[in-house]
Amino acid sequence: MCGNRQLRSIIIQLAWMTVRKDGALLEKFDKVYKSSGSKQKAIIAVARETNDKNICSSKERRRL
């Protein structure tokens, strides 16, 4: 297994919280869940998307 287990756990917990509050991410979760039948795969997809958004926004802040 690769990566920091604690960090991965925190990212997954944040993904669950954002799914409850963000309609677009809830739609992403539902779409992946319906196609895969797995909540774990769906929340990982949401976590990856959230992480990608965070990385992009931090790069934008650095440019300013």
PDB file of all heavy atoms in Angstrom, residues 3-35:
ATOM      1  N   GLY A   3       1.303   5.535   0.380  1.00  0.00           N
ATOM      2  CA  GLY A   3       0.720   6.725   0.983  1.00  0.00           C
ATOM      3  C   GLY A   3       0.602   6.655   2.495  1.00  0.00           C
ATOM      4  O   GLY A   3       0.816   5.621   3.111  1.00  0.00           O
ATOM      5  N   ASN A   4       0.260   7.781   3.039  1.00  0.00           N
ATOM      6  CA  ASN A   4       0.108   7.939   4.469  1.00  0.00           C
ATOM      7  C   ASN A   4      -1.307   7.515   4.872  1.00  0.00           C
ATOM      8  O   ASN A   4      -2.293   8.099   4.423  1.00  0.00           O
ATOM      9  CB  ASN A   4       0.368   9.400   4.821  1.00  0.00           C
ATOM     10  CG  ASN A   4       0.332   9.669   6.294  1.00  0.00           C
ATOM     11  OD1 ASN A   4      -0.382   9.021   7.036  1.00  0.00           O
ATOM     12  ND2 ASN A   4       1.097  10.653   6.704  1.00  0.00           N
ATOM     13  N   ARG A   5      -1.419   6.520   5.714  1.00  0.00           N
ATOM     14  CA  ARG A   5      -2.741   5.989   6.098  1.00  0.00           C
ATOM     15  C   ARG A   5      -3.591   7.015   6.829  1.00  0.00           C
ATOM     16  O   ARG A   5      -4.800   7.094   6.618  1.00  0.00           O
ATOM     17  CB  ARG A   5      -2.581   4.761   6.973  1.00  0.00           C
ATOM     18  CG  ARG A   5      -2.087   3.558   6.228  1.00  0.00           C
ATOM     19  CD  ARG A   5      -1.980   2.383   7.149  1.00  0.00           C
ATOM     20  NE  ARG A   5      -1.438   1.251   6.410  1.00  0.00           N
ATOM     21  CZ  ARG A   5      -1.645   0.004   6.755  1.00  0.00           C
ATOM     22  NH1 ARG A   5      -2.339  -0.279   7.819  1.00  0.00           N
ATOM     23  NH2 ARG A   5      -1.137  -0.967   6.039  1.00  0.00           N
ATOM     24  N   GLN A   6      -2.965   7.789   7.700  1.00  0.00           N
ATOM     25  CA  GLN A   6      -3.724   8.796   8.455  1.00  0.00           C
ATOM     26  C   GLN A   6      -4.258   9.875   7.520  1.00  0.00           C
ATOM     27  O   GLN A   6      -5.413  10.288   7.627  1.00  0.00           O
ATOM     28  CB  GLN A   6      -2.860   9.429   9.531  1.00  0.00           C
ATOM     29  CG  GLN A   6      -2.574   8.504  10.685  1.00  0.00           C
ATOM     30  CD  GLN A   6      -1.674   9.149  11.715  1.00  0.00           C
ATOM     31  OE1 GLN A   6      -0.795   9.924  11.375  1.00  0.00           O
ATOM     32  NE2 GLN A   6      -1.898   8.814  12.973  1.00  0.00           N
ATOM     33  N   LEU A   7      -3.427  10.328   6.597  1.00  0.00           N
ATOM     34  CA  LEU A   7      -3.858  11.350   5.655  1.00  0.00           C
ATOM     35  C   LEU A   7      -4.982  10.827   4.763  1.00  0.00           C
ATOM     36  O   LEU A   7      -5.970  11.520   4.523  1.00  0.00           O
ATOM     37  CB  LEU A   7      -2.681  11.810   4.794  1.00  0.00           C
ATOM     38  CG  LEU A   7      -2.966  12.913   3.789  1.00  0.00           C
ATOM     39  CD1 LEU A   7      -3.509  14.156   4.484  1.00  0.00           C
ATOM     40  CD2 LEU A   7      -1.713  13.236   3.003  1.00  0.00           C
ATOM     41  N   ARG A   8      -4.835   9.598   4.297  1.00  0.00           N
ATOM     42  CA  ARG A   8      -5.877   8.998   3.459  1.00  0.00           C
ATOM     43  C   ARG A   8      -7.188   8.909   4.225  1.00  0.00           C
ATOM     44  O   ARG A   8      -8.261   9.232   3.695  1.00  0.00           O
ATOM     45  CB  ARG A   8      -5.420   7.615   3.019  1.00  0.00           C
ATOM     46  CG  ARG A   8      -6.311   6.974   2.005  1.00  0.00           C
ATOM     47  CD  ARG A   8      -5.754   5.663   1.552  1.00  0.00           C
ATOM     48  NE  ARG A   8      -4.625   5.321   2.413  1.00  0.00           N
ATOM     49  CZ  ARG A   8      -3.770   4.358   2.169  1.00  0.00           C
ATOM     50  NH1 ARG A   8      -3.870   3.636   1.124  1.00  0.00           N
ATOM     51  NH2 ARG A   8      -2.786   4.095   3.008  1.00  0.00           N
ATOM     52  N   SER A   9      -7.133   8.534   5.485  1.00  0.00           N
ATOM     53  CA  SER A   9      -8.327   8.438   6.318  1.00  0.00           C
ATOM     54  C   SER A   9      -8.999   9.800   6.478  1.00  0.00           C
ATOM     55  O   SER A   9     -10.230   9.911   6.385  1.00  0.00           O
ATOM     56  CB  SER A   9      -7.952   7.873   7.689  1.00  0.00           C
ATOM     57  OG  SER A   9      -9.054   7.870   8.541  1.00  0.00           O
ATOM     58  N   ILE A  10      -8.205  10.822   6.698  1.00  0.00           N
ATOM     59  CA  ILE A  10      -8.745  12.179   6.842  1.00  0.00           C
ATOM     60  C   ILE A  10      -9.393  12.640   5.543  1.00  0.00           C
ATOM     61  O   ILE A  10     -10.483  13.226   5.557  1.00  0.00           O
ATOM     62  CB  ILE A  10      -7.637  13.150   7.285  1.00  0.00           C
ATOM     63  CG1 ILE A  10      -7.219  12.835   8.723  1.00  0.00           C
ATOM     64  CG2 ILE A  10      -8.088  14.598   7.165  1.00  0.00           C
ATOM     65  CD1 ILE A  10      -5.948  13.518   9.156  1.00  0.00           C
ATOM     66  N   ILE A  11      -8.750  12.361   4.414  1.00  0.00           N
ATOM     67  CA  ILE A  11      -9.304  12.764   3.113  1.00  0.00           C
ATOM     68  C   ILE A  11     -10.637  12.065   2.863  1.00  0.00           C
ATOM     69  O   ILE A  11     -11.590  12.682   2.376  1.00  0.00           O
ATOM     70  CB  ILE A  11      -8.295  12.490   1.987  1.00  0.00           C
ATOM     71  CG1 ILE A  11      -7.102  13.447   2.124  1.00  0.00           C
ATOM     72  CG2 ILE A  11      -8.950  12.636   0.620  1.00  0.00           C
ATOM     73  CD1 ILE A  11      -5.946  13.136   1.203  1.00  0.00           C
ATOM     74  N   ILE A  12     -10.738  10.795   3.221  1.00  0.00           N
ATOM     75  CA  ILE A  12     -11.989  10.052   3.039  1.00  0.00           C
ATOM     76  C   ILE A  12     -13.081  10.642   3.936  1.00  0.00           C
ATOM     77  O   ILE A  12     -14.229  10.825   3.512  1.00  0.00           O
ATOM     78  CB  ILE A  12     -11.791   8.554   3.333  1.00  0.00           C
ATOM     79  CG1 ILE A  12     -10.793   7.941   2.362  1.00  0.00           C
ATOM     80  CG2 ILE A  12     -13.122   7.807   3.286  1.00  0.00           C
ATOM     81  CD1 ILE A  12     -11.171   8.034   0.917  1.00  0.00           C
ATOM     82  N   GLN A  13     -12.748  10.960   5.179  1.00  0.00           N
ATOM     83  CA  GLN A  13     -13.729  11.568   6.081  1.00  0.00           C
ATOM     84  C   GLN A  13     -14.211  12.913   5.539  1.00  0.00           C
ATOM     85  O   GLN A  13     -15.411  13.223   5.598  1.00  0.00           O
ATOM     86  CB  GLN A  13     -13.128  11.741   7.467  1.00  0.00           C
ATOM     87  CG  GLN A  13     -12.932  10.445   8.199  1.00  0.00           C
ATOM     88  CD  GLN A  13     -12.219  10.631   9.526  1.00  0.00           C
ATOM     89  OE1 GLN A  13     -12.039  11.744   9.994  1.00  0.00           O
ATOM     90  NE2 GLN A  13     -11.813   9.525  10.132  1.00  0.00           N
ATOM     91  N   LEU A  14     -13.291  13.705   5.011  1.00  0.00           N
ATOM     92  CA  LEU A  14     -13.675  14.985   4.417  1.00  0.00           C
ATOM     93  C   LEU A  14     -14.572  14.782   3.202  1.00  0.00           C
ATOM     94  O   LEU A  14     -15.503  15.554   2.975  1.00  0.00           O
ATOM     95  CB  LEU A  14     -12.430  15.783   4.029  1.00  0.00           C
ATOM     96  CG  LEU A  14     -11.622  16.340   5.192  1.00  0.00           C
ATOM     97  CD1 LEU A  14     -10.304  16.924   4.682  1.00  0.00           C
ATOM     98  CD2 LEU A  14     -12.415  17.384   5.938  1.00  0.00           C
ATOM     99  N   ALA A  15     -14.301  13.750   2.433  1.00  0.00           N
ATOM    100  CA  ALA A  15     -15.138  13.461   1.265  1.00  0.00           C
ATOM    101  C   ALA A  15     -16.570  13.140   1.690  1.00  0.00           C
ATOM    102  O   ALA A  15     -17.529  13.608   1.069  1.00  0.00           O
ATOM    103  CB  ALA A  15     -14.546  12.312   0.458  1.00  0.00           C
ATOM    104  N   TRP A  16     -16.719  12.356   2.764  1.00  0.00           N
ATOM    105  CA  TRP A  16     -18.064  12.055   3.252  1.00  0.00           C
ATOM    106  C   TRP A  16     -18.785  13.327   3.702  1.00  0.00           C
ATOM    107  O   TRP A  16     -19.977  13.508   3.435  1.00  0.00           O
ATOM    108  CB  TRP A  16     -18.023  11.061   4.421  1.00  0.00           C
ATOM    109  CG  TRP A  16     -17.882   9.640   3.983  1.00  0.00           C
ATOM    110  CD1 TRP A  16     -16.808   8.830   4.199  1.00  0.00           C
ATOM    111  CD2 TRP A  16     -18.837   8.851   3.262  1.00  0.00           C
ATOM    112  NE1 TRP A  16     -17.038   7.591   3.647  1.00  0.00           N
ATOM    113  CE2 TRP A  16     -18.279   7.577   3.079  1.00  0.00           C
ATOM    114  CE3 TRP A  16     -20.105   9.103   2.751  1.00  0.00           C
ATOM    115  CZ2 TRP A  16     -18.946   6.553   2.405  1.00  0.00           C
ATOM    116  CZ3 TRP A  16     -20.771   8.083   2.082  1.00  0.00           C
ATOM    117  CH2 TRP A  16     -20.191   6.834   1.911  1.00  0.00           C
ATOM    118  N   MET A  17     -18.065  14.219   4.358  1.00  0.00           N
ATOM    119  CA  MET A  17     -18.687  15.466   4.810  1.00  0.00           C
ATOM    120  C   MET A  17     -19.069  16.350   3.623  1.00  0.00           C
ATOM    121  O   MET A  17     -20.142  16.963   3.632  1.00  0.00           O
ATOM    122  CB  MET A  17     -17.747  16.222   5.749  1.00  0.00           C
ATOM    123  CG  MET A  17     -17.587  15.537   7.082  1.00  0.00           C
ATOM    124  SD  MET A  17     -16.718  16.462   8.367  1.00  0.00           S
ATOM    125  CE  MET A  17     -15.323  17.133   7.563  1.00  0.00           C
ATOM    126  N   THR A  18     -18.215  16.423   2.609  1.00  0.00           N
ATOM    127  CA  THR A  18     -18.528  17.287   1.471  1.00  0.00           C
ATOM    128  C   THR A  18     -19.661  16.721   0.627  1.00  0.00           C
ATOM    129  O   THR A  18     -20.438  17.484   0.050  1.00  0.00           O
ATOM    130  CB  THR A  18     -17.291  17.530   0.580  1.00  0.00           C
ATOM    131  OG1 THR A  18     -16.757  16.289   0.153  1.00  0.00           O
ATOM    132  CG2 THR A  18     -16.242  18.316   1.307  1.00  0.00           C
ATOM    133  N   VAL A  19     -19.780  15.405   0.562  1.00  0.00           N
ATOM    134  CA  VAL A  19     -20.885  14.791  -0.187  1.00  0.00           C
ATOM    135  C   VAL A  19     -22.217  15.210   0.420  1.00  0.00           C
ATOM    136  O   VAL A  19     -23.188  15.457  -0.296  1.00  0.00           O
ATOM    137  CB  VAL A  19     -20.742  13.254  -0.210  1.00  0.00           C
ATOM    138  CG1 VAL A  19     -22.046  12.571  -0.549  1.00  0.00           C
ATOM    139  CG2 VAL A  19     -19.670  12.849  -1.195  1.00  0.00           C
ATOM    140  N   ARG A  20     -22.256  15.327   1.731  1.00  0.00           N
ATOM    141  CA  ARG A  20     -23.500  15.716   2.412  1.00  0.00           C
ATOM    142  C   ARG A  20     -23.871  17.176   2.170  1.00  0.00           C
ATOM    143  O   ARG A  20     -25.034  17.548   2.268  1.00  0.00           O
ATOM    144  CB  ARG A  20     -23.370  15.465   3.907  1.00  0.00           C
ATOM    145  CG  ARG A  20     -23.310  14.000   4.249  1.00  0.00           C
ATOM    146  CD  ARG A  20     -23.285  13.778   5.752  1.00  0.00           C
ATOM    147  NE  ARG A  20     -23.067  12.386   6.031  1.00  0.00           N
ATOM    148  CZ  ARG A  20     -21.949  11.882   6.550  1.00  0.00           C
ATOM    149  NH1 ARG A  20     -20.956  12.692   6.861  1.00  0.00           N
ATOM    150  NH2 ARG A  20     -21.825  10.607   6.767  1.00  0.00           N
ATOM    151  N   LYS A  21     -22.873  18.005   1.833  1.00  0.00           N
ATOM    152  CA  LYS A  21     -23.130  19.439   1.710  1.00  0.00           C
ATOM    153  C   LYS A  21     -23.096  19.968   0.278  1.00  0.00           C
ATOM    154  O   LYS A  21     -23.659  21.013   0.008  1.00  0.00           O
ATOM    155  CB  LYS A  21     -22.110  20.214   2.548  1.00  0.00           C
ATOM    156  CG  LYS A  21     -22.261  19.939   4.022  1.00  0.00           C
ATOM    157  CD  LYS A  21     -21.336  20.766   4.850  1.00  0.00           C
ATOM    158  CE  LYS A  21     -21.562  20.452   6.320  1.00  0.00           C
ATOM    159  NZ  LYS A  21     -20.971  21.430   7.185  1.00  0.00           N
ATOM    160  N   ASP A  22     -22.425  19.271  -0.625  1.00  0.00           N
ATOM    161  CA  ASP A  22     -22.239  19.755  -1.994  1.00  0.00           C
ATOM    162  C   ASP A  22     -23.054  18.895  -2.960  1.00  0.00           C
ATOM    163  O   ASP A  22     -22.787  17.700  -3.127  1.00  0.00           O
ATOM    164  CB  ASP A  22     -20.753  19.703  -2.355  1.00  0.00           C
ATOM    165  CG  ASP A  22     -20.442  20.346  -3.686  1.00  0.00           C
ATOM    166  OD1 ASP A  22     -21.368  20.597  -4.471  1.00  0.00           O
ATOM    167  OD2 ASP A  22     -19.254  20.599  -3.945  1.00  0.00           O
ATOM    168  N   GLY A  23     -24.016  19.515  -3.602  1.00  0.00           N
ATOM    169  CA  GLY A  23     -24.899  18.790  -4.516  1.00  0.00           C
ATOM    170  C   GLY A  23     -24.176  18.179  -5.705  1.00  0.00           C
ATOM    171  O   GLY A  23     -24.501  17.069  -6.140  1.00  0.00           O
ATOM    172  N   ALA A  24     -23.179  18.885  -6.244  1.00  0.00           N
ATOM    173  CA  ALA A  24     -22.447  18.380  -7.402  1.00  0.00           C
ATOM    174  C   ALA A  24     -21.658  17.119  -7.040  1.00  0.00           C
ATOM    175  O   ALA A  24     -21.627  16.147  -7.810  1.00  0.00           O
ATOM    176  CB  ALA A  24     -21.512  19.454  -7.941  1.00  0.00           C
ATOM    177  N   LEU A  25     -21.056  17.129  -5.862  1.00  0.00           N
ATOM    178  CA  LEU A  25     -20.309  15.946  -5.440  1.00  0.00           C
ATOM    179  C   LEU A  25     -21.246  14.800  -5.070  1.00  0.00           C
ATOM    180  O   LEU A  25     -20.897  13.626  -5.250  1.00  0.00           O
ATOM    181  CB  LEU A  25     -19.381  16.286  -4.275  1.00  0.00           C
ATOM    182  CG  LEU A  25     -18.209  17.189  -4.634  1.00  0.00           C
ATOM    183  CD1 LEU A  25     -17.413  17.555  -3.396  1.00  0.00           C
ATOM    184  CD2 LEU A  25     -17.316  16.538  -5.669  1.00  0.00           C
ATOM    185  N   LEU A  26     -22.426  15.121  -4.583  1.00  0.00           N
ATOM    186  CA  LEU A  26     -23.420  14.083  -4.317  1.00  0.00           C
ATOM    187  C   LEU A  26     -23.843  13.407  -5.619  1.00  0.00           C
ATOM    188  O   LEU A  26     -23.987  12.185  -5.681  1.00  0.00           O
ATOM    189  CB  LEU A  26     -24.635  14.670  -3.597  1.00  0.00           C
ATOM    190  CG  LEU A  26     -25.761  13.697  -3.272  1.00  0.00           C
ATOM    191  CD1 LEU A  26     -25.269  12.570  -2.370  1.00  0.00           C
ATOM    192  CD2 LEU A  26     -26.929  14.433  -2.620  1.00  0.00           C
ATOM    193  N   GLU A  27     -24.006  14.202  -6.662  1.00  0.00           N
ATOM    194  CA  GLU A  27     -24.335  13.628  -7.974  1.00  0.00           C
ATOM    195  C   GLU A  27     -23.221  12.720  -8.467  1.00  0.00           C
ATOM    196  O   GLU A  27     -23.482  11.642  -9.005  1.00  0.00           O
ATOM    197  CB  GLU A  27     -24.595  14.739  -8.988  1.00  0.00           C
ATOM    198  CG  GLU A  27     -25.884  15.484  -8.753  1.00  0.00           C
ATOM    199  CD  GLU A  27     -26.086  16.625  -9.735  1.00  0.00           C
ATOM    200  OE1 GLU A  27     -25.401  16.648 -10.788  1.00  0.00           O
ATOM    201  OE2 GLU A  27     -26.932  17.484  -9.455  1.00  0.00           O
ATOM    202  N   LYS A  28     -21.967  13.140  -8.280  1.00  0.00           N
ATOM    203  CA  LYS A  28     -20.817  12.320  -8.658  1.00  0.00           C
ATOM    204  C   LYS A  28     -20.837  11.014  -7.877  1.00  0.00           C
ATOM    205  O   LYS A  28     -20.636   9.935  -8.441  1.00  0.00           O
ATOM    206  CB  LYS A  28     -19.525  13.097  -8.382  1.00  0.00           C
ATOM    207  CG  LYS A  28     -18.257  12.319  -8.492  1.00  0.00           C
ATOM    208  CD  LYS A  28     -17.766  12.280  -9.889  1.00  0.00           C
ATOM    209  CE  LYS A  28     -16.385  11.633  -9.939  1.00  0.00           C
ATOM    210  NZ  LYS A  28     -15.890  11.538 -11.276  1.00  0.00           N
ATOM    211  N   PHE A  29     -21.078  11.098  -6.574  1.00  0.00           N
ATOM    212  CA  PHE A  29     -21.149   9.915  -5.730  1.00  0.00           C
ATOM    213  C   PHE A  29     -22.232   8.962  -6.226  1.00  0.00           C
ATOM    214  O   PHE A  29     -21.993   7.765  -6.390  1.00  0.00           O
ATOM    215  CB  PHE A  29     -21.426  10.311  -4.275  1.00  0.00           C
ATOM    216  CG  PHE A  29     -21.562   9.146  -3.342  1.00  0.00           C
ATOM    217  CD1 PHE A  29     -20.443   8.583  -2.758  1.00  0.00           C
ATOM    218  CD2 PHE A  29     -22.808   8.606  -3.048  1.00  0.00           C
ATOM    219  CE1 PHE A  29     -20.557   7.498  -1.891  1.00  0.00           C
ATOM    220  CE2 PHE A  29     -22.934   7.537  -2.201  1.00  0.00           C
ATOM    221  CZ  PHE A  29     -21.803   6.970  -1.620  1.00  0.00           C
ATOM    222  N   ASP A  30     -23.427   9.502  -6.478  1.00  0.00           N
ATOM    223  CA  ASP A  30     -24.542   8.672  -6.945  1.00  0.00           C
ATOM    224  C   ASP A  30     -24.239   8.007  -8.279  1.00  0.00           C
ATOM    225  O   ASP A  30     -24.547   6.831  -8.483  1.00  0.00           O
ATOM    226  CB  ASP A  30     -25.820   9.507  -7.058  1.00  0.00           C
ATOM    227  CG  ASP A  30     -26.404   9.861  -5.706  1.00  0.00           C
ATOM    228  OD1 ASP A  30     -26.096   9.175  -4.715  1.00  0.00           O
ATOM    229  OD2 ASP A  30     -27.170  10.851  -5.640  1.00  0.00           O
ATOM    230  N   LYS A  31     -23.624   8.753  -9.178  1.00  0.00           N
ATOM    231  CA  LYS A  31     -23.299   8.221 -10.508  1.00  0.00           C
ATOM    232  C   LYS A  31     -22.324   7.043 -10.405  1.00  0.00           C
ATOM    233  O   LYS A  31     -22.549   5.983 -10.996  1.00  0.00           O
ATOM    234  CB  LYS A  31     -22.700   9.327 -11.378  1.00  0.00           C
ATOM    235  CG  LYS A  31     -22.338   8.898 -12.757  1.00  0.00           C
ATOM    236  CD  LYS A  31     -21.741  10.053 -13.538  1.00  0.00           C
ATOM    237  CE  LYS A  31     -21.265   9.586 -14.899  1.00  0.00           C
ATOM    238  NZ  LYS A  31     -20.585  10.644 -15.633  1.00  0.00           N
ATOM    239  N   VAL A  32     -21.264   7.231  -9.622  1.00  0.00           N
ATOM    240  CA  VAL A  32     -20.272   6.156  -9.469  1.00  0.00           C
ATOM    241  C   VAL A  32     -20.866   4.986  -8.696  1.00  0.00           C
ATOM    242  O   VAL A  32     -20.633   3.823  -9.038  1.00  0.00           O
ATOM    243  CB  VAL A  32     -18.990   6.684  -8.782  1.00  0.00           C
ATOM    244  CG1 VAL A  32     -18.006   5.559  -8.512  1.00  0.00           C
ATOM    245  CG2 VAL A  32     -18.330   7.754  -9.640  1.00  0.00           C
ATOM    246  N   TYR A  33     -21.665   5.286  -7.684  1.00  0.00           N
ATOM    247  CA  TYR A  33     -22.289   4.228  -6.888  1.00  0.00           C
ATOM    248  C   TYR A  33     -23.226   3.372  -7.742  1.00  0.00           C
ATOM    249  O   TYR A  33     -23.214   2.145  -7.655  1.00  0.00           O
ATOM    250  CB  TYR A  33     -23.029   4.822  -5.696  1.00  0.00           C
ATOM    251  CG  TYR A  33     -23.748   3.797  -4.853  1.00  0.00           C
ATOM    252  CD1 TYR A  33     -23.037   2.795  -4.206  1.00  0.00           C
ATOM    253  CD2 TYR A  33     -25.121   3.828  -4.692  1.00  0.00           C
ATOM    254  CE1 TYR A  33     -23.673   1.843  -3.429  1.00  0.00           C
ATOM    255  CE2 TYR A  33     -25.778   2.891  -3.926  1.00  0.00           C
ATOM    256  CZ  TYR A  33     -25.042   1.895  -3.292  1.00  0.00           C
ATOM    257  OH  TYR A  33     -25.690   0.953  -2.532  1.00  0.00           O
ATOM    258  N   LYS A  34     -24.010   4.022  -8.583  1.00  0.00           N
ATOM    259  CA  LYS A  34     -24.939   3.273  -9.437  1.00  0.00           C
ATOM    260  C   LYS A  34     -24.196   2.418 -10.463  1.00  0.00           C
ATOM    261  O   LYS A  34     -24.615   1.303 -10.757  1.00  0.00           O
ATOM    262  CB  LYS A  34     -25.902   4.225 -10.141  1.00  0.00           C
ATOM    263  CG  LYS A  34     -26.945   4.786  -9.207  1.00  0.00           C
ATOM    264  CD  LYS A  34     -27.850   5.771  -9.902  1.00  0.00           C
ATOM    265  CE  LYS A  34     -28.812   6.399  -8.908  1.00  0.00           C
ATOM    266  NZ  LYS A  34     -29.622   7.458  -9.530  1.00  0.00           N
ATOM    267  N   SER A  35     -23.099   2.937 -10.992  1.00  0.00           N
ATOM    268  CA  SER A  35     -22.374   2.171 -12.015  1.00  0.00           C
ATOM    269  C   SER A  35     -21.511   1.062 -11.412  1.00  0.00           C
ATOM    270  O   SER A  35     -21.361   0.006 -12.016  1.00  0.00           O
ATOM    271  CB  SER A  35     -21.503   3.090 -12.866  1.00  0.00           C
ATOM    272  OG  SER A  35     -20.464   3.648 -12.090  1.00  0.00           O
TER     273      SER A  35
END
